[in-house]
Amino acid sequence: MTQIALSVDSRGLPGGLFGSADLEAFVRAWRQVEDRLQDRTLSPGTVLPVTLDAGRLDFTVLSPQEPVTVGPDTEFGIVSVLERHRVHEAHGCATCARDGRSTYAPFVCGECPEEGHGVCDEHARLLPGGMAATCPAHEPACAACSSPAAARCPGPDCRSRTAWCAAHLQAHSSDPETGYCARCRDRLFPECGISSGCPGVGSVSCEHVEPEGRLCEARRCPRHAWRWQVFGPQQIGLGRCEAHSSTRADRAADVLYQILAACALKGSRLPTAPSLRHAVVKSTGQQVALRDVVTLAQQQPASAPPALRELLRDVVLRTRERWKDQASANEAGERRATEALLAWLTSVGKAEVAAALTVRNYAPAREARPAGEGRDAQEARNAALFVYCDRDLLPPRVRREAADALGFDVVLVR
C-alpha cells in the first residue's frame, strides 16, 4: 500500500476549509480529483488544484520523497492545512468591517464613543509627536484653526494630546524635527530677556524673592545669568538676573530670607547650615556663628506674606533637626580647635595672646572637588578658626606657625 502525504492551502476558499462543519462538498470534489489521479506519477512538490463552488483549494505533495505512481491501493492523507488568518470581532478594524473585510486592528481610536473601534495599520491616523491613533472619521484637526492637523505638540501643556496644523507649529533651532505650539515652545525655549536682544534660550529663571512673596522669574540664558552658590561648590546655585545679581546685605536675616524663601517657592531642598553661614558671611562681610545662623533661619520674617510664612514654616520644620545636628558638630570642632590653639600659644610663651583673643567662628575642612567637575578642580580647604585679637599680638608669622603646628588655619577678623 502506498501512502501520499498532502498539505492543503485553503486561503483561496472564503471562510477556510474548516469554516463550516459541512465538509461534504470538499469530500465530493476530492474524490473527483482522486479518480483523475489514477496511474499518474506524483513527485514531492506537485500542486494539485481543486475547484469548489465557493473557491479553490491547492493540494501539495509532501511525501514520499521519490516519485510514486497512483494506483488502486494508494492512500492519501492530509497532514497540514494552511488557512487565512482569522480575526476575532473584538480585534477587527471597524472601518474594514464596513467594507466586508476582516482585518486585525492593533490600534484603538480614542474618539469613537462605542465599542468595537479598532483601527488597522491602513486606516490608523498617527501624527508625529504622539502615539494616539484615530480612525479616519475622527482624524484630528488643528486646535487653533480646524485645518487638518500635522502633528501633536509634545510640550508641557499639550502633552501630546493636542494636535496642530503646520501653520501653528513652531520648532526650535536645536530641535527642528519636533513641532510645538506657541505656548509650549515659550515654556520650553523661552527667550533671553536681556535688553540687548540675545537670541539664546532663557533656561535660567531669576529666583530673587520679590516683596509680594513671588519669584522674579526673569528669564536669562546661561551667558547672561548669575548664580548664587548657596548650596555649596558642587551644586548649581539660585538663578539671578542682572537686576538682582548683587547679594550684598546689611542683615543676616535678609540673606537667609532670600535663600530659604526661594527654595520654598521652587520646592527644592534647603541648604545645609554651613552653606547658609557661608552665604551670610559672603553677603554681609560679618562673621556669624553657625548656631546663630540656625536660630535666625527658624524665625519667620514679619514682612513676608502670610502664605509664604506658612510655607517657610513647613519647610524649615522638616530641616531644623538636621541644622541643629550640624551646628552641634560645628561647635564641637570649634571647642577642639580653640583648646588646641590656646594650648599651643601657652606652650610657645604667648599666654598673654591666649588670654586676649576671642573666638568668632569656626569652619570645618572642605574636601577638594574632583578634577573634571566644573571649570577647574577646586583645592581642598583646611579647617579655619576665626579669632579677634590685636593684630600686633597675633601677626601673620605667628598665625602661620600655628597653622603648621595645629593643622587648621587661624584667621584674624575685625
Side-chain angles (χ1 to χ4, degrees):
M1 179 184 298
T2 304
Q3 293 183 340
I4 298 178
L6 304 172
S7 68
V8 183
D9 185 348
S10 65
R11 290 177 295 180
L13 190 66
L17 181 61
F18 303 109
S20 171
D22 182 11
L23 298 178
E24 288 298 323
F26 162 70
V27 174
R28 289 194 301 269
W30 168 250
R31 285 173 178 170
Q32 295 175 7
V33 173
E34 189 175 13
D35 292 340
R36 295 198 300 268
L37 293 179
Q38 294 298 316
D39 300 327
R40 180 176 172 180
T41 301
L42 300 180
S43 302
T46 301
V47 177
L48 308 174
V50 176
T51 302
L52 302 177
D53 293 338
R56 169 178 168 167
L57 297 173
D58 289 320
F59 291 82
T60 303
V61 177
L62 298 180
S63 66
Q65 295 301 312
E66 300 295 331
V68 61
T69 301
V70 178
D73 60 346
T74 301
E75 291 185 354
F76 292 90
I78 298 175
V79 298
S80 65
V81 178
L82 180 62
E83 292 190 300
R84 287 183 180 180
H85 67 274
R86 298 181 184 182
V87 179
H88 191 278
E89 182 180 355
H91 305 296
C93 175
T95 304
C96 290
R98 287 192 287 270
D99 297 333
R101 294 186 293 157
S102 178
T103 309
Y104 176 64
F107 301 99
V108 175
C109 176
E111 302 296 328
C112 287
E114 70 281 352
E115 295 183 358
H117 46 276
V119 191
C120 66
D121 295 342
E122 177 186 351
H123 292 116
R125 300 295 185 262
L126 283 167
L127 296 178
M131 290 301 295
T134 59
C135 67
H138 295 105
E139 189 167 359
C142 176
C145 65
S146 299
S147 300
R152 296 183 186 273
C153 173
D157 290 333
C158 295
R159 298 171 63 184
S160 297
R161 293 194 294 257
T162 308
W164 305 83
C165 68
H168 288 99
L169 287 171
Q170 304 175 17
H172 189 262
S173 57
S174 64
D175 190 13
E177 299 299 323
T178 306
Y180 301 90
C181 69
R183 182 175 178 178
C184 289
R185 184 184 182 278
D186 289 343
R187 286 191 60 183
L188 288 172
F189 310 109
E191 294 181 356
C192 177
I194 199 74
S195 58
S196 60
C198 172
V201 176
S203 57
V204 181
S205 177
C206 178
E207 291 160 338
H208 171 81
V209 181
E210 301 284 13
E212 58 270 25
R214 63 173 181 83
L215 298 177
C216 169
E217 294 186 337
R219 308 297 300 207
R220 296 293 183 268
C221 69
R223 188 163 63 94
H224 291 116
W226 276 259
R227 287 288 186 182
W228 191 6
Q229 293 300 116
V230 299
F231 301 104
Q234 308 232 19
Q235 297 185 46
I236 297 177
L238 297 174
R240 313 283 280 194
C241 67
E242 67 283 356
H244 301 121
S245 58
S246 175
T247 59
R248 298 295 301 173
D250 295 328
R251 300 190 316 140
D254 295 334
V255 179
L256 294 172
Y257 171 68
Q258 276 294 325
I259 296 173
L260 300 179
C263 292
L265 289 171
K266 65 182 290 193
S268 65
R269 187 178 182 183
L270 299 183
T272 63
S275 294
L276 289 176
R277 192 264 308 275
H278 180 75
V280 167
V281 172
K282 294 286 287 185
S283 297
T284 64
Q286 304 169 1
Q287 288 294 329
V288 183
L290 190 59
R291 180 67 66 179
D292 294 337
V293 170
V294 172
T295 300
L296 285 173
Q298 296 179 73
Q299 299 174 0
Q300 310 304 320
S303 58
L308 182 54
R309 283 205 306 271
E310 187 69 24
L311 181 61
L312 273 170
R313 186 178 297 108
D314 291 340
V315 297
V316 168
L317 185 63
R318 294 194 296 267
T319 314
R320 66 179 183 179
E321 293 304 321
R322 178 164 57 94
W323 285 344
K324 290 178 180 179
D325 291 343
Q326 292 164 351
S328 298
N330 187 268
E331 288 176 348
E334 181 178 313
R335 285 195 299 271
R336 290 192 296 269
T338 301
E339 293 170 358
L341 176 60
L342 296 179
W344 180 83
L345 288 171
T346 302
S347 68
V348 296
K350 296 186 179 298
E352 74 282 4
V353 180
L357 65 79
T358 302
V359 176
R360 289 291 180 84
N361 213 336
Y362 174 76
R366 183 180 65 199
E367 295 182 359
R369 179 187 301 177
E373 295 187 14
R375 184 170 299 177
D376 298 301
Q378 187 168 338
E379 295 181 356
R381 187 191 66 188
N382 292 332
L385 186 67
F386 298 85
V387 300
Y388 173 78
C389 184
D390 188 296
R391 188 174 297 274
D392 293 335
L393 291 177
L394 199 60
R397 177 184 58 80
V398 176
R399 298 199 298 272
R400 287 194 299 270
E401 292 174 355
D404 292 340
L406 302 174
F408 58 84
D409 296 331
V410 178
V411 182
L412 192 64
V413 298
R414 295 181 179 180

